[in-house]
Amino acid sequence: MSEEHIVSSFDEDMSRLRDLFLEMGRSVSAQLQAATRALRKEDRSLAKQVIAGDKQLNKLEADLNDLSIKILALRQPFAGDLRKVVATLKGAGHFERMGDLARNIAQRTNTITKAEAETGSIDTLIRMSETVQVMTNSILTAYERSDIEIAEEVRAQDETVDRLHNSLFREMLTYMMEDPRNISGCMHVMFMAKNIERMGDNVADIAKELIYMVSGEWPEGGRVKKDKTSRMIADLDA
Amino acid sequence: MNTDALSAETGAKPIMTARNVDVFYGKKQAIDNVSLDIPENQITALIGPSGCGKSTFLRCFNRMNDTIQICRVKGDIKFAGQDIYDPKVDVVALRSRIGMVFQKANPFPKSIFENVAYGPKIHSLAESKDHLEDIVITSLKRAGLYDEVSDRLDEPGTSLSGGQQQRLCIARAIAVDPQIILMDEPCSALDPIATAIIEELMDSMKEKYTIVIVTHSMQQAARVSQQTAFFHLGELVESGDTQAIFTNPEKERTQNYISGRIG
């Protein structure tokens, strides 16, 4: 496809749309990184910054929504342009949701550090977070380059997040069974892990939309969900 | 292009088929080796930039190009299996089976009634005065105009608004009971409301007729047609299911044109 439209202001709108989307993605990745760091360092002031930072993300999403509607109404895009506007609009919704989940992690960090609750090791949680940050950064590269291969890799990486989530679930059960005083902290960690697992799902969905944006075809077959925690039960006799 | 695959894709049997059609104006070639199926009871839109040959191609379907001295048509165009360029074909009869509506509404300088009655009269389609009246009223109803003009059928056709005149021309085309209606930019001189009324009318007409429309408005092609064919520099670049053409065209030239990247 030629790069430029005959109407140059159409190009300006499309380029602004891309910038807003990339800015949202970078902001989400930074929010998750900061939320995880706040948890690791028990840094309540950083956690508060994350909570406040979500407002900025919501503002970006509102701007992106307005611009998408303007493009759809005034430019009436077709073909590749249409797919780009639709995929970007949907992707921005996922980023906004991810921002909410990162904010929730920060809120829980505040709670458990205030209560000095025992959580056990959070290494697995940190690895989940790092994987989702990598996925988020990769999806931005895939978007910038219209690269389907990277998008496919991102979809595959979500399995790692699901597996880590399963294993964290088992770890937390063990801690909680060892000493009921751990339950409160572990429950919060589990919810944080669930948040990150959901963030991974959101990035995988963006990857799917990106494949449609570039190729015009939705990827075949559903992604294999490796998250098994909804079927796990604590075995007290073990 | 594999036209067999095309008809399989749109899922309707073709009422008209064009194979390897070339059109020349003197030495200048306006259409280059175009093959296209027109599926029955569907709307096919021909789109492309000015001078791409879409109107020329449309006019091949009822031999309107015959009226241009220097125009030569080569290739094979069949209507219901019959070669329409066969020397034995009665062109006047052919044009009653394949009617045409033009860009500018062109009612005869006669009454609304006479505009519609003219075709059935010269083709001797009416058995009686009552029958003729039936044909006129039915045609006006099918063209969505009757309710607006029922009390003034003897007023001149030219007294109507632009949109109404265009619907009068559609009624006139319908009156001789055609199977196909060719429309050459029928809405380009109309306001959006009159355009919407014609588009709604086309949608209801496709149950009984097959429509081929040339339009400069890609939005219109996307709204009204089931099949879209994109012409560029006299070639058929791509044709197929309208939704596929406008969301995920196969050819880069189509992509560039419909997304406003070439004029």
Side-chain angles (χ1 to χ4, degrees):
Chain A
M1 179 165 58
S2 313
E3 283 306 305
E4 290 178 358
H5 291 93
I6 297 165
V7 179
S8 59
S9 55
F10 191 174
D11 285 331
E12 285 159 22
D13 282 349
M14 291 302 279
S15 141
R16 169 90 184 119
L17 186 74
R18 184 199 59 216
D19 292 347
L20 278 170
F21 183 78
L22 294 174
E23 195 179 342
M24 277 191 85
R26 283 193 281 265
S27 168
V28 165
S29 184
Q31 285 281 90
L32 177 59
Q33 189 180 24
T36 312
R37 187 181 157 82
L39 175 67
R40 206 175 58 218
K41 303 273 185 189
E42 300 186 7
D43 183 340
R44 276 156 59 193
S45 120
L46 182 57
K48 276 181 189 153
Q49 280 177 37
V50 172
I51 294 165
D54 189 45
K55 285 203 182 84
Q56 171 61 14
L57 196 59
N58 293 345
K59 167 80 172 56
L60 286 172
E61 197 218 5
D63 289 350
L64 191 146
N65 286 349
D66 286 348
L67 180 59
S68 302
I69 288 164
K70 178 192 155 191
I71 294 173
L72 289 170
L74 305 188
R75 311 287 182 196
Q76 303 178 358
F78 278 132
D81 294 327
L82 176 64
R83 299 200 305 266
K84 184 153 204 162
V85 175
V86 170
T88 305
L89 183 60
K90 281 177 72 96
H94 289 298
F95 279 148
E96 192 279 331
R97 182 82 192 109
M98 289 170 73
D100 292 346
L101 294 165
R103 184 193 58 205
N104 186 263
I105 292 170
Q107 284 164 338
R108 289 178 191 279
T109 296
N110 266 345
T111 308
I112 52 181
T113 46
K114 232 185 237 170
E116 296 177 2
E118 185 57 54
T119 62
S121 162
I122 56 163
D123 290 353
T124 310
L125 186 80
I126 288 165
R127 275 171 58 207
M128 284 179 74
S129 165
E130 285 167 353
T131 311
V132 171
Q133 287 168 47
V134 169
M135 287 167 68
T136 309
N137 296 336
S138 299
I139 208 67
L140 296 177
T141 308
Y143 183 87
E144 277 185 292
R145 298 184 192 160
S146 295
D147 190 325
I148 290 182
E149 265 179 48
I150 300 178
E152 288 288 9
E153 281 165 23
V154 168
R155 292 183 84 209
Q157 274 173 311
D158 190 41
E159 287 183 20
T160 310
V161 181
D162 288 349
R163 286 206 184 88
L164 289 168
H165 186 233
N166 295 342
S167 107
L168 184 79
F169 190 88
R170 283 193 210 95
E171 280 173 44
M172 288 299 127
L173 282 180
T174 315
Y175 275 120
M176 288 188 276
M177 283 190 291
E178 268 173 17
D179 186 345
R181 279 171 295 185
N182 294 341
I183 288 178
S184 166
C186 288
M187 286 296 290
H188 280 296
V189 169
M190 207 53 237
F191 276 118
M192 290 187 211
K194 188 67 197 166
N195 284 348
I196 297 175
E197 191 271 327
R198 291 298 305 149
M199 290 175 91
D201 288 347
N202 276 279
V203 186
D205 282 343
I206 297 175
K208 201 167 91 177
E209 286 145 14
L210 199 143
I211 291 167
Y212 171 72
M213 174 181 107
V214 176
S215 69
E217 313 267 347
W218 291 98
E220 275 177 30
R223 196 167 44 82
V224 188
K225 276 295 287 176
K226 297 289 181 185
D227 176 23
K228 310 275 189 222
T229 53
S230 55
R231 293 197 291 272
M232 285 184 190
I233 301 272
D235 184 357
L236 294 173
D237 300 325
Chain B
M1 167 166 316
N2 185 342
T3 41
D4 294 336
L6 176 72
S7 38
E9 186 187 323
T10 52
K13 67 172 179 158
I15 188 169
M16 195 134 206
T17 57
R19 289 289 175 280
N20 311 109
V21 173
D22 293 321
V23 181
F24 299 86
Y25 291 113
K27 283 182 182 166
K28 189 188 175 304
Q29 185 162 9
I31 293 286
D32 186 0
N33 194 27
V34 169
S35 297
L36 182 69
D37 285 356
I38 304 299
E40 191 168 16
N41 297 113
Q42 287 196 6
I43 301 176
T44 298
L46 311 183
I47 61 167
S50 296
C52 70
K54 55 191 189 297
S55 289
T56 297
F57 186 65
L58 183 80
R59 294 161 65 93
C60 293
F61 285 143
N62 66 347
R63 295 185 53 175
M64 286 298 281
N65 289 324
D66 289 12
T67 59
I68 302 167
Q69 285 269 322
I70 57 166
C71 183
R72 277 184 302 128
V73 178
K74 286 169 67 182
D76 183 32
I77 301 179
K78 288 200 172 97
F79 167 52
Q82 202 193 353
D83 178 6
I84 65 165
Y85 282 86
D86 188 311
K88 282 177 272 178
V89 166
D90 173 354
V91 178
V92 175
L94 175 77
R95 289 183 193 143
S96 75
R97 312 301 299 142
I98 306 173
M100 194 152 190
V101 175
F102 298 88
Q103 179 174 359
K104 193 173 179 310
N106 53 355
F108 302 135
K110 289 171 179 284
S111 71
I112 294 169
F113 185 93
E114 283 301 322
N115 260 279
V116 184
Y118 184 78
K121 275 186 188 167
I122 62 162
H123 289 285
S124 313
L125 297 180
E127 290 154 8
S128 63
K129 210 178 153 204
D130 282 353
H131 187 203
L132 182 66
E133 210 172 291
D134 275 354
I135 293 175
V136 170
I137 290 172
T138 308
S139 303
L140 285 168
K141 279 183 177 166
R142 286 200 182 129
L145 186 61
Y146 185 69
D147 290 346
E148 293 164 49
V149 300
S150 58
D151 56 348
R152 48 180 173 137
L153 292 177
D154 52 352
E155 286 180 24
T158 48
S159 67
L160 299 172
S161 73
Q164 287 172 328
Q165 287 190 22
Q166 197 59 298
R167 279 179 283 146
L168 179 62
C169 293
I170 292 172
R172 192 175 65 190
I174 287 173
V176 291
D177 198 27
Q179 281 178 274
I180 301 181
I181 299 172
L182 308 176
M183 297 185 169
D184 194 351
E185 297 185 45
C187 302
S188 59
L190 302 183
D191 70 47
I193 301 294
T195 299
I197 292 169
I198 301 259
E199 288 179 3
E200 171 65 14
L201 172 63
M202 289 171 70
D203 195 56
S204 64
M205 281 167 68
K206 73 173 193 286
E207 277 185 26
K208 196 164 161 42
Y209 310 99
T210 300
I211 297 174
V212 186
I213 176 174
V214 162
T215 174
H216 265 134
S217 159
M218 287 178 286
Q219 281 76 17
Q220 180 169 60
R223 286 192 300 261
V224 302
S225 72
Q226 287 73 55
Q227 175 182 243
T228 297
F230 169 57
F231 286 75
H232 190 224
L233 304 173
E235 292 170 33
L236 174 61
V237 177
E238 182 172 356
S239 70
D241 174 72
T242 295
Q243 189 180 341
I245 294 276
F246 285 104
T247 57
N248 191 17
E250 281 178 17
K251 301 283 164 57
E252 190 172 332
R253 268 202 284 174
T254 316
Q255 162 88 20
N256 285 342
Y257 178 69
I258 63 173
S259 57
R261 288 177 167 88
I262 51 171

